[in-house]
Every structure is written in C-alpha cells, then in structure tokens.
Amino acid sequence: MKAQTLSRSLLALGATLMLSNPASANTVIELTQVPCQFLESEPTDHGFSANSADDCKDHNKRTGDSRAQQSQPLELKAGKYTFRVTNKNVPYPLGFWLRGEGVIGRATLPSVSGGGLATGTTLDYEITLEPGEYLYSCPLNPTPDYKLVVR
C-alpha cells in the first residue's frame, strides 16, 4: 500500500508527523537535539554551545526550570509511535528517554530509551503509548524534562 505523508506543526512544538498506512504503521515524531535542548520542544533555539554533558548541566542550573515551564506539552492519542531523534551538531554521543511521569507513571506506563546517537546521526525509538502523562529527555545531553500527554 502506498504511504501517505502528512507534515504539520504539532501544538507549537514543530514536531513533524509522518503518517503511513494508519492501520499498520507507527506515527513518526521527529525530534532534533542540539546542545542542551530539543529544538521542537522549546519555543526558542537558545544557541547553547557545549563540549560535554557538564556544560549542559551548567546551562540547566541557570535556565532549565524556566525553559521546561515555557515549553508546550506534546499531546498525542494513544497508539504506536516512532520517535525519530537526530543529533544535530552535538559533539558527543546522545540518547533518548521517554518514560511515565512520577514514580507511579514509571511503574505503570511504557517507556523507551537508548543511546549511541553520534553527531549527525538519527535513531528511531518505537513505543506504544497508553493514556497518561510522560516525560522525555536526553540524560546524556542533558536536557530539561519535557512533558508529553497521551489521551
């Protein structure tokens, strides 16, 4: 069956959705990591520079809480998703971690994580999301915890 592609802004996040045959394929959410942030998750590209995770930890001490509050939650329907994550010009390996929010959420909701995202590469992380509240981030970059709500 021929794939159908749809690109649009997703709740002011700028995440790109690509829909294939809806009955069988995952929805793809594209996310781009730059030093200390996911571009689509915050209203501003802060232009941070970082040579290590410690540089991002310093940025986050000063700005992380306010940046997380300014970001808009990603809202999705329950279902199968592929989070396609790209390391754009971060000079060290990155990862991705999507998990339930809070202790109960981590224990009861699905999660996906992985590393090995070298500079200039893209990796896919597949998950079937259930209704609930989630967080996603990169502990290796590190980024703020961005919110995802599944209805």
Side-chain angles (χ1 to χ4, degrees):
M1 182 173 262
K2 189 171 180 177
Q4 175 184 27
T5 303
L6 169 68
S7 295
R8 65 179 172 92
S9 175
L10 180 63
L11 298 171
L13 291 177
T16 302
L17 295 179
M18 294 177 351
L19 302 176
S20 297
N21 179 357
S24 63
N26 296 359
T27 299
V28 177
I29 307 294
E30 293 188 7
L31 296 172
T32 308
Q33 286 195 61
V34 295
C36 315
Q37 78 175 103
F38 283 91
L39 286 178
E40 296 84 1
S41 305
E42 296 188 44
T44 302
D45 176 354
H46 298 287
F48 294 130
S49 62
N51 293 314
S52 70
D54 287 339
D55 292 338
C56 289
K57 289 177 186 174
D58 290 340
H59 286 303
N60 290 338
K61 282 181 189 175
R62 293 188 306 275
T63 65
D65 289 340
S66 66
R67 289 171 36 221
Q69 290 175 4
Q70 292 175 10
S71 68
Q72 294 293 316
L74 178 60
E75 294 189 20
L76 301 171
K77 293 180 180 178
K80 295 180 181 181
Y81 290 89
T82 298
F83 285 81
R84 182 162 291 150
V85 182
T86 299
N87 176 342
K88 180 180 178 185
N89 301 323
V90 180
Y92 46 89
L94 306 180
F96 179 71
W97 185 26
L98 175 88
R99 71 271 185 203
E101 185 174 17
V103 174
I104 294 173
R106 281 194 197 172
T108 60
L109 294 172
S111 68
V112 65
S113 65
L117 213 69
T119 305
T121 62
T122 299
L123 292 176
D124 288 349
Y125 302 88
E126 294 185 0
I127 187 169
T128 300
L129 294 173
E130 299 171 3
E133 294 187 359
Y134 295 78
L135 298 174
Y136 64 98
S137 63
C138 176
L140 303 175
N141 198 4
T143 66
D145 289 332
Y146 302 106
K147 192 166 197 142
L148 180 142
V149 178
V150 178
R151 302 200 190 285

